[in-house]
Amino acid sequence: MATQETTSAPATEQPPSGGGFSRRTLFQGAGAGLAVGAAGGVLARGATVPEQHAAPSLGAARIEFQGPHQAGIVQPPQARVQLAAFDLAPNAGRAGLQALLKLWSQTAARLAVGEPAGTHENQIALDAGPSSLTVTVGFGATLFDKVGLADRRPAQLNPLPAFPLDAIDRSRSDGDLWVQIGADDALVAFHALRVLQQQAAPAAAVRWQMAGFARSPGATAKPMTGRNLMGQVDGTNNPKPTDPDFAAKIFATGPDWMAGGSYVVLRRIRMLLDDWENLSTDRQERFIGRRKSDGAPLSGGTETTPVDLTKQNPDGTLAIPADAHIRVAAPTANGGAAMLRRGFSYADGVLPDGSPDAGLLFLAFQADPARGFVPVQQKLARGDGLSRFLRHEASGLYAVPRGVQGGEGYLGQALLEG
Ligand SMILES: C=CC1=C(C)c2cc3[nH]c(cc4nc(cc5[nH]c(cc1n2)c(C)c5CCC(=O)O)C(CCC(=O)O)=C4C)c(C)c3C=C
Ligand SMILES: [Fe+2]
């Protein structure tokens, strides 16, 4: 496995709401030591940088593969994501899975530092560096039976309940293995997907694949929380790694192979953009409970001002309406239920009726979906004004084992050899 460079370098600047989001980003090569980000102005597209002050390229940024948690959870979303689920071949067995996870772990570590893949290298990403590449691997509930580990399947992987308004396409849901590949360059992300996919054969085959995107680093004059395709500032009130209870909310404590791991819920949520865009900005804001221009709560202040759900307008109505998304989803309204949302937009052309096939690849990490996504979605599906503009079309739940560190060789080793 590739060794991980540990040279210390400053982390990229984070948006106001990013709080303590750790990007674990290092820069290699000639520019090491320089901070990259729009605030520093060093990566403005088209900017001419004098040779002697050459800045590190976006491609040079890298995120450590090794650590107590897998990469791709606490880091802010990269500009590009490739999501894929794989089903194990009937004859692969535990040995086949073990060999695959070893190969994927080696490959993820190599690609994260900008080395070529050890096998199936196709040069798609040549010259583009690791571009903050992360590879995150998860196990679906169906995997455990197939490799004789049914008795070790955690209860947290029990199937999600059906929610009102669900329109789930099972062929684009679930899967034995899940992979999230994030990078700040589309070619780097696709390269990693292609290599992992080829390495998977014949032990596993792709069940479904989805591509998404988020704001590119340096796109705004200063670091800001990103927007979704409805135009809203999205991601403000996420738990922050600096919160005292962050780890308890987001990371599992056991069994041993999951200690430091997390459970991720995926929902491919199509947005009914034609209907949404027909609303006035005022109505759109009341469906969310935040101002569209800057993400400030309708109870007042700026984006980061704590939400006041009791605040009333002069006419006595609630400043944040009863069916506003942030009121219905708030941890205080759901017994403290919390999750780390790390979604990406998608835009996959148009449907037969001419409407855009576009929306949110909603991804939420949590220590236990029964105390995170499930109670919140149960409430949202019934009482959220926004839900009439959304269609949940695909779904998945995966155990994301702890990261590789110390003497461990590959992701999931403690499960498969424990
Ligand atoms: C079950 C969980 C959630 C789903 C599904 C979901 C879908 C979804 N959300 C938006 C847009 C926004 N969501 C915002 C906040 C927010 N959303 C959830 C949960 C789900 N959202 C939570 C727990 C919160 C935080 C609530 C709080 O404590 O304030 C916001 C506001 C900005 C922010 O805090 O991120 C927006 C905007 C869309 C478009 C969507 C489905 C496509
Ligand atoms: Fe939301």
Side-chain angles (χ1 to χ4, degrees):
M1 180 175 301
T3 49
Q4 184 68 56
E5 200 174 314
T6 52
T7 324
S8 80
T12 49
E13 270 201 54
Q14 297 309 313
S17 59
F21 251 135
S22 157
R23 185 130 197 181
R24 287 198 304 192
T25 304
L26 306 176
F27 298 96
Q28 58 191 5
L34 291 177
V36 172
V42 294
L43 278 181
R45 283 214 174 127
T48 312
V49 182
E51 189 62 40
Q52 65 271 31
H53 300 301
S57 69
L58 194 66
R62 58 187 175 82
I63 296 175
E64 290 173 58
F65 169 73
Q66 289 182 323
H69 320 297
Q70 287 195 53
I73 301 176
V74 297
Q75 293 83 18
Q78 295 97 323
R80 302 288 178 162
V81 76
Q82 291 285 351
L83 303 177
F86 294 77
D87 283 336
L88 219 53
N91 58 353
R94 201 183 304 183
L97 176 63
Q98 202 171 342
L100 176 57
L101 290 173
K102 275 185 193 168
L103 188 54
W104 275 2
S105 303
Q106 284 165 0
T107 303
R110 292 177 69 103
L111 299 184
V113 293
E115 292 176 11
T119 74
H120 301 87
E121 177 51 63
N122 50 37
Q123 283 121 28
I124 294 175
L126 215 63
D127 316 316
S131 299
S132 297
L133 176 89
T134 56
V135 175
T136 320
V137 175
F139 303 154
T142 47
L143 181 74
F144 293 77
D145 282 337
K146 291 188 181 173
V147 296
L149 292 171
D151 56 335
R152 301 191 64 189
R153 184 180 55 229
Q156 288 87 340
L157 274 187
N158 288 345
L160 297 174
F163 299 99
L165 306 178
D166 270 4
I168 305 296
D169 173 357
R170 295 280 37 136
S171 70
R172 288 198 297 181
S173 301
D174 309 317
D176 297 337
L177 289 163
W178 171 81
V179 176
Q180 172 195 248
I181 298 164
D184 281 332
D185 178 79
L187 289 176
V188 169
F190 182 78
H191 169 249
L193 173 71
R194 184 76 192 129
V195 170
L196 296 187
Q197 181 189 341
Q198 288 189 292
Q199 290 179 339
V206 172
R207 177 183 173 87
W208 56 254
Q209 187 229 323
M210 300 173 192
F213 56 92
R215 179 164 277 154
S216 301
T220 52
K222 60 181 172 51
M224 295 171 78
T225 312
R227 289 182 188 268
N228 60 40
L229 297 188
M230 286 176 149
Q232 304 138 355
V233 176
D234 197 344
T236 304
N237 242 353
N238 244 341
K240 305 188 179 25
T242 46
D243 295 347
D245 52 356
F246 179 83
K249 286 175 178 166
I250 309 306
F251 296 118
T253 50
D256 61 338
W257 60 274
M258 275 302 290
S262 189
Y263 293 88
V264 65
V265 171
L266 159 73
R267 306 285 281 187
R268 185 181 193 273
I269 308 176
R270 184 161 59 86
M271 296 170 170
L272 307 187
L273 289 176
D274 289 333
D275 297 341
W276 175 256
E277 287 158 2
N278 272 334
L279 301 175
S280 66
T281 302
D282 178 64
R283 285 206 68 198
Q284 292 181 349
E285 291 178 337
R286 282 187 285 120
F287 278 126
I288 286 290
R290 287 183 177 272
R291 231 167 26 209
K292 215 173 164 190
S293 58
D294 59 0
L298 296 184
S299 49
T302 65
E303 183 195 347
T304 51
T305 304
V307 176
D308 180 358
L309 293 172
T310 63
K311 180 88 181 272
Q312 294 186 351
N313 297 315
D315 65 1
T317 56
L318 286 166
I320 297 174
D323 66 346
H325 184 72
I326 63 166
R327 175 184 291 281
V328 183
T332 48
N334 294 288
M339 68 201 93
L340 180 63
R341 291 167 288 130
R342 192 177 190 273
F344 295 85
S345 296
Y346 73 88
D348 291 342
V350 289
L351 295 169
D353 68 359
S355 61
D357 188 5
L360 183 69
L361 299 175
F362 176 90
L363 291 168
F365 293 86
Q366 58 243 282
D368 181 0
R371 292 184 294 113
F373 175 81
V374 173
V376 178
Q377 181 54 25
Q378 256 152 359
K379 280 277 275 295
L380 286 175
R382 290 190 172 87
D384 175 22
L386 187 67
S387 65
R388 73 186 73 152
F389 301 93
L390 307 175
R391 292 287 178 273
H392 288 233
E393 295 185 336
S395 178
L397 168 61
Y398 312 93
V400 177
R402 72 181 189 211
V404 170
Q405 61 176 346
E408 258 188 342
Y410 62 95
L411 292 167
Q413 182 173 357
L415 171 66
L416 293 175
E417 297 177 21

